[in-house]
Amino acid sequence: MNVTELYKTAKEYGIESNEVEIILKELRKKMLEIHPDKFQGEFPNDETKERFHKLQELLGSQEQANNALIPISAVKDLIAYSQNINKESKEVRLETKLKDSINDYEPDIGRRAKLPKISLTAITTIISFLWLFPGQISEHPILSKFIRTDSMFFTAFWIALICYTLMFWIFGMINENSEKYTLRQIKTERFQGNLFEEFIDWCKRENKESFKRSELISFTGNRVGKRTHSPMNMFFSSSIDEQIFENLANLIISKAEQKQLIKIIDGAGFEDKFEIKTDTNNVHDDHVG
């Protein structure tokens, strides 16, 4: 039996187990589901027929090997394939965690500026109404003593308030779109690879041959934070959740380990420590993406 072929077939049918017996059991179920007896003795189409015969051949070869020892080559295939599956599943889990943390944060984008926007717009609307209909003030016994809508000061204040309100809304839209764009980029392999390259360059400038996981997380936060800096810092600057930076750093580390650009040298403490391989000089040609 070709163990690699067995695992590939299992993956095609969405079977996540690494145990041969469980895989064979599930594949037998799949074969029974498309047995010609289920379709009045005939296959509904050529694709179903091909799938059935492929499963039948694969399971038949296993039955012939039931009383034989698994050859060493098959064991090697099994180990190698299992390692690849574990690496792929770990990377998928990390990518899922990153996407989930981004999806959880996205509803908060622009939330801090929501109340100032509403308040500023309301005030501007009121001042505009008073400027357009000055009679509302002149007829009021108290407000007419303090507010003169026909004065240059009131007109200048009204124009300035309109301009500021427009700028506030425009900057708000720009920064919200910028932050959403950055979050979309974070998910891409190109962004992750470039970020890893920048971090390795920083380590070299600092004469660091190794780094802690927290250092990459901090570096990630600083770099992403600069991309979402706002001229109206109080309301629009990014407050991206730290969990996003941590998930992004963990994903980058996993990809860098898989490409053998770094290796763990201390995983017994509170946080992992990684050694930078000397061949990361070529990281620009073979980055984590």
Side-chain angles (χ1 to χ4, degrees):
M1 177 188 62
N2 190 324
V3 180
T4 302
E5 184 65 25
L6 179 66
Y7 274 88
K8 285 182 179 179
T9 305
K11 189 174 182 181
E12 290 175 4
Y13 283 91
I15 302 172
E16 298 181 355
S17 176
N18 292 333
E19 297 184 21
V20 174
E21 290 301 322
I22 294 178
I23 291 174
L24 292 173
K25 182 179 179 181
E26 293 299 320
L27 289 179
R28 288 190 189 98
K29 290 181 181 179
K30 299 293 183 183
M31 188 180 73
L32 289 175
E33 290 175 1
I34 58 175
H35 195 279
D37 291 343
K38 298 281 186 179
F39 309 100
Q40 291 79 42
E42 294 184 1
F43 292 107
N45 50 57
D46 292 339
E47 181 183 353
T48 303
K49 181 178 180 180
E50 183 179 350
R51 285 170 53 203
F52 177 82
H53 287 306
K54 182 179 179 181
L55 289 173
Q56 189 179 46
E57 181 180 353
L58 185 65
L59 294 173
S61 64
Q62 168 60 19
E63 291 177 359
Q64 294 176 1
N66 276 341
N67 298 324
L69 293 176
I70 299 178
I72 295 177
S73 59
V75 174
K76 290 181 178 179
D77 288 343
L78 175 62
I79 294 174
Y81 201 82
S82 297
Q83 289 176 343
N84 288 333
I85 288 178
N86 290 334
K87 289 178 181 178
E88 290 176 4
S89 60
K90 179 183 178 182
E91 190 171 310
V92 169
R93 287 197 304 271
L94 291 173
E95 287 180 343
T96 301
K97 287 183 66 176
L98 175 61
K99 291 178 181 178
D100 288 344
S101 60
I102 290 175
N103 292 337
D104 290 340
Y105 171 75
E106 281 182 337
D108 292 332
I109 296 176
R111 181 169 293 179
R112 284 186 300 169
K114 186 175 182 179
L115 181 59
K117 280 182 179 179
I118 296 174
S119 302
L120 191 58
T121 303
I123 294 172
T124 304
T125 302
I126 293 172
I127 298 298
S128 299
F129 177 80
L130 295 176
W131 189 86
L132 292 171
F133 303 98
Q136 301 297 322
I137 292 292
S138 61
E139 296 174 1
H140 197 281
I142 298 176
L143 293 178
S144 59
K145 296 179 181 180
F146 299 97
I147 302 175
R148 293 190 56 187
T149 56
D150 58 347
S151 67
M152 290 298 297
F153 174 79
F154 187 88
T155 302
F157 176 75
W158 172 64
I159 294 174
L161 190 60
I162 290 177
C163 292
Y164 187 79
T165 302
L166 288 174
M167 288 178 58
F168 198 91
W169 276 90
I170 291 171
F171 275 116
M173 292 172 55
I174 291 173
N175 283 278
E176 287 177 27
N177 290 335
S178 175
E179 193 165 346
K180 290 177 181 178
Y181 176 72
T182 298
L183 290 175
R184 289 197 300 269
Q185 280 196 312
I186 286 174
K187 302 177 187 178
T188 65
E189 290 189 347
R190 183 174 182 178
F191 181 91
Q192 295 162 13
N194 290 337
L195 187 61
F196 178 73
E197 292 174 6
E198 291 179 18
F199 179 69
I200 294 299
D201 289 340
W202 174 80
C203 288
K204 290 176 180 178
R205 290 195 301 271
E206 298 292 323
N207 295 320
K208 297 172 68 67
E209 296 180 355
S210 62
F211 65 91
K212 295 180 180 179
R213 188 183 297 272
S214 59
E215 290 178 312
L216 179 55
I217 295 173
S218 298
F219 183 87
T220 300
N222 291 334
R223 283 294 183 271
V224 175
K226 286 183 178 179
R227 295 171 64 90
T228 53
H229 176 72
S230 169
M232 292 185 172
N233 186 62
M234 182 182 298
F235 300 112
F236 298 128
S237 285
S238 170
S239 59
I240 295 178
D241 193 274
E242 287 289 332
Q243 190 65 44
I244 295 177
F245 301 142
E246 184 173 343
N247 291 335
L248 176 58
N250 288 337
L251 179 58
I252 290 174
I253 286 173
S254 176
K255 290 183 176 182
E257 282 186 301
Q258 189 171 348
K259 287 188 173 290
Q260 299 181 348
L261 300 175
I262 60 175
K263 71 174 182 178
I264 189 168
I265 55 176
D266 184 7
F270 185 74
E271 65 171 330
D272 300 330
K273 190 174 183 180
F274 301 90
E275 178 186 10
I276 302 172
K277 295 289 193 70
T278 54
D279 59 359
T280 50
N281 291 325
N282 299 321
V283 68
H284 293 276
D285 298 323
D286 186 23
H287 58 59
V288 295

